[in-house]
Amino acid sequence: TINQSSATTYAGKFEGTGLVVKSGAGTLSITSANPGFTGGLVVNQGQISLTPRTVANFANVSSVTLNAGTLLLDYNGGAEIPS
């Protein structure tokens, strides 16, 4: 569980199964590719921002649950969008 009230950027890795749970009013920006993470994302409060290249960042996530928060999918710079 990640509980923070201010904006934070995380460039580390998530691996394996399980859940990444976001609570607190702040924005968590995840900027690293996490193809080895096959668990779920849960946003209880605040926002998770997957930037840049959203699809590559969490290509194998099993589920996304939005309870009272926001998931921002930022495709800036992503090669996944056909031109």
Side-chain angles (χ1 to χ4, degrees), residues 29-49:
S29 297
I30 301 172
T31 59
S32 58
N34 292 280
F37 179 70
T38 58
L41 295 176
V42 178
V43 185
N44 289 328
Q45 287 180 297
Q47 176 174 278
I48 291 181
S49 175

Side-chain angles (χ1 to χ4, degrees), residues 50-55 57 72-81:
L50 303 179
T51 63
R53 302 179 52 112
T54 299
V55 174
N57 283 357
L72 174 64
L73 305 176
D74 182 353
Y75 285 95
N76 272 339
E80 296 83 14
I81 299 175

Side-chain angles (χ1 to χ4, degrees), residues 1-3 8-22 28-42 48-51 56-61:
T1 298
I2 301 164
N3 185 2
T8 305
T9 298
Y10 181 73
K13 297 283 186 191
F14 294 98
E15 293 285 332
T17 61
L19 295 174
V20 173
V21 179
K22 165 67 179 76
L28 174 63
S29 297
I30 301 172
T31 59
S32 58
N34 292 280
F37 179 70
T38 58
L41 295 176
V42 178
I48 291 181
S49 175
L50 303 179
T51 63
N57 283 357
F58 280 89
N60 299 311
V61 70

